[in-house]
Amino acid sequence: MARPSKREEIARAALQRFHAQGFHATGIADITTAAGVPKGSFYNHFSSKEESAAEAIGRYGESRRFDMLTAPGRPPLQRLRAHFEHLGAETVESGYAQGCLMGNLSAEVGDHNDELRGALRDGFATWAGHIRQVLAEAREAGDIAPGLDIAATSLFLLSAWEGTLLTARAEKSYAPFEAFFRTVFEVVLR
Amino acid sequence: MARPSKREEIARAALQRFHAQGFHATGIADITTAAGVPKGSFYNHFSSKEESAAEAIGRYGESRRFDMLTAPGRPPLQRLRAHFEHLGAETVESGYAQGCLMGNLSAEVGDHNDELRGALRDGFATWAGHIRQVLAEAREAGDIAPGLDIAATSLFLLSAWEGTLLTARAEKSYAPFEAFFRTVFEVVLR
């Protein structure tokens, strides 16, 4: 397998550093050190830290396992639950140190920079669209109340998920995840 | 009225700057400039930026209008709705630039520093406790399903609220608030 290009190595390191440290705490030197490239090479590939963060948001979105939501063989609500359980395990396994890059950057810099905000908005819209599709299938299968507003519910579930990551990290506790799964699957989607 | 003490002016300025800019983007000089005091005076009153941020979280919690949740004269669920509507208006009126200081710092530094995390954990626990009390009253009044797990639901509602602020700011849109109010009051607490 070919060695990843220098640009690819920088992009991967940027995603990793922004996820671990946030936007302001990550310097260009942190990224290039993590990538094992000279500091000056960053600007051969990205015009700014903001540009590399916007790309990191896109890459992170692609890692959110939307395939778990569409994979055939399981009922829609089981797929939705498995999707969130998979993502929650990432945070639990990191000792509650890692949340969602998209949620983190929304909180830290979402409203300071239009390029980043655009990437966050697009990432959330894509994610909510996948959840909405699962809810449409669940409604079709008679698994949820026929009158449930699936557009509002999909957006709400995504917001609730992002907030659950915040409170679970502040508490270093699984209780917010438990409350999420219990309320979403036993109350909202009953 | 007596002029606020220098310590009080620094503490107020710190809360305002951390809320507007986040933790890492706020320097001691930003705080002392906003407070109108010499930079060196910060360390006469706070041992570190972390200590002033932990105090800011406590002060911010006290501004969350928990009194709206307990004020007599309105049914419990109306009080809960008014509480969130009041807080949501802060974000809308700021042009979606301001979220919740507690949510923001959970995302940015909650897992990097035990002092800050402790303040966030305590702040969320206090808030969830107030919501739980309202839900207990609502159950007593027969306004929600008798079998609803009010401990899990209060924690879930707080998480969902924090996440709603994140997605509303990323989208600069009221849609996530609308989805919150619709799902919480027409589905979860029906």
Side-chain angles (χ1 to χ4, degrees):
Chain A
M1 206 172 86
R3 196 163 164 275
S5 72
K6 196 168 280 188
R7 186 186 190 287
E8 179 67 20
E9 285 183 343
I10 295 170
R12 287 181 193 175
L15 165 53
Q16 196 270 329
R17 295 325 302 156
F18 288 131
H19 197 191
Q21 298 177 199
F23 183 78
H24 284 110
T26 297
I28 302 297
D30 294 315
I31 296 171
T32 50
T33 301
V37 301
K39 184 172 178 188
S41 66
F42 180 88
Y43 291 103
N44 296 334
H45 303 286
F46 295 95
S47 66
S48 64
K49 192 166 88 166
E50 282 77 5
E51 188 189 306
S52 75
E55 179 165 326
I57 291 163
R59 286 170 173 255
Y60 183 79
E62 288 167 12
S63 75
R64 294 304 81 200
R65 299 299 310 275
F66 299 137
D67 59 301
M68 292 181 76
L69 293 173
T70 50
R74 280 204 288 189
L77 294 187
Q78 279 189 27
R79 282 180 261 141
L80 186 64
R81 187 175 192 120
H83 168 72
F84 284 124
E85 282 176 347
H86 171 81
L87 299 181
E90 284 182 359
T91 290
V92 175
E93 283 159 17
S94 74
Y96 297 94
Q98 279 192 353
C100 170
L101 177 70
M102 285 160 54
N104 294 351
L105 294 187
S106 294
E108 192 190 352
V109 286
D111 41 21
H112 294 289
N113 181 290
D114 277 344
E115 185 175 6
L116 290 180
R117 200 178 63 72
L120 293 165
R121 185 194 56 216
D122 294 350
F124 284 134
T126 300
W127 197 344
H130 284 290
I131 296 171
R132 183 179 176 158
Q133 181 56 38
V134 175
L135 296 185
E137 286 180 58
R139 190 169 60 184
E140 185 74 20
D143 296 340
I144 57 176
L148 194 72
D149 178 336
I150 60 170
T153 305
S154 57
L155 188 48
F156 174 78
L157 294 184
L158 180 53
S159 295
W161 178 251
E162 289 294 333
T164 296
L165 291 170
L166 292 189
T167 54
R169 286 165 64 209
E171 296 186 15
K172 275 198 195 288
S173 146
Y174 196 74
F177 287 115
E178 212 161 67
F180 175 88
F181 287 111
R182 181 151 196 186
T183 312
V184 168
F185 291 98
E186 294 177 25
V187 181
V188 179
L189 302 178
R190 69 187 161 187
Chain B
M1 206 170 83
R3 197 163 165 274
S5 72
K6 197 168 278 188
R7 187 186 189 289
E8 179 66 21
E9 286 183 344
I10 294 170
R12 288 181 192 174
L15 166 52
Q16 196 270 327
R17 296 323 303 154
F18 288 132
H19 197 191
Q21 298 177 199
F23 184 78
H24 284 110
T26 298
I28 303 296
D30 293 315
I31 296 171
T32 50
T33 300
V37 301
K39 184 173 177 186
S41 66
F42 180 87
Y43 290 104
N44 296 334
H45 303 285
F46 295 96
S47 65
S48 64
K49 192 167 87 166
E50 283 76 5
E51 189 190 305
S52 75
E55 178 166 326
I57 292 163
R59 285 170 174 255
Y60 183 78
E62 288 166 12
S63 74
R64 293 306 80 203
R65 297 300 310 274
F66 299 138
D67 60 299
M68 292 182 76
L69 293 173
T70 50
R74 281 203 288 188
L77 295 187
Q78 279 189 26
R79 281 181 261 142
L80 187 63
R81 186 176 193 121
H83 168 74
F84 285 125
E85 282 177 347
H86 171 80
L87 299 181
E90 284 182 0
T91 291
V92 175
E93 283 160 15
S94 74
Y96 297 94
Q98 278 193 352
C100 171
L101 178 71
M102 288 160 54
N104 294 351
L105 294 186
S106 295
E108 191 189 352
V109 288
D111 41 21
H112 294 288
N113 181 290
D114 277 343
E115 185 176 5
L116 290 181
R117 200 178 63 72
L120 293 166
R121 185 194 56 218
D122 294 349
F124 284 134
T126 300
W127 197 344
H130 284 291
I131 296 172
R132 184 179 175 157
Q133 182 55 37
V134 175
L135 295 185
E137 286 180 57
R139 190 168 61 184
E140 186 73 21
D143 296 339
I144 57 176
L148 193 72
D149 178 337
I150 60 170
T153 306
S154 57
L155 188 47
F156 174 78
L157 294 184
L158 180 53
S159 296
W161 178 252
E162 288 295 334
T164 296
L165 291 170
L166 292 189
T167 53
R169 285 165 64 208
E171 297 186 13
K172 275 197 195 286
S173 145
Y174 196 74
F177 287 114
E178 210 161 67
F180 175 88
F181 287 110
R182 181 151 196 187
T183 312
V184 168
F185 292 96
E186 294 177 24
V187 181
V188 178
L189 301 178
R190 67 185 162 185

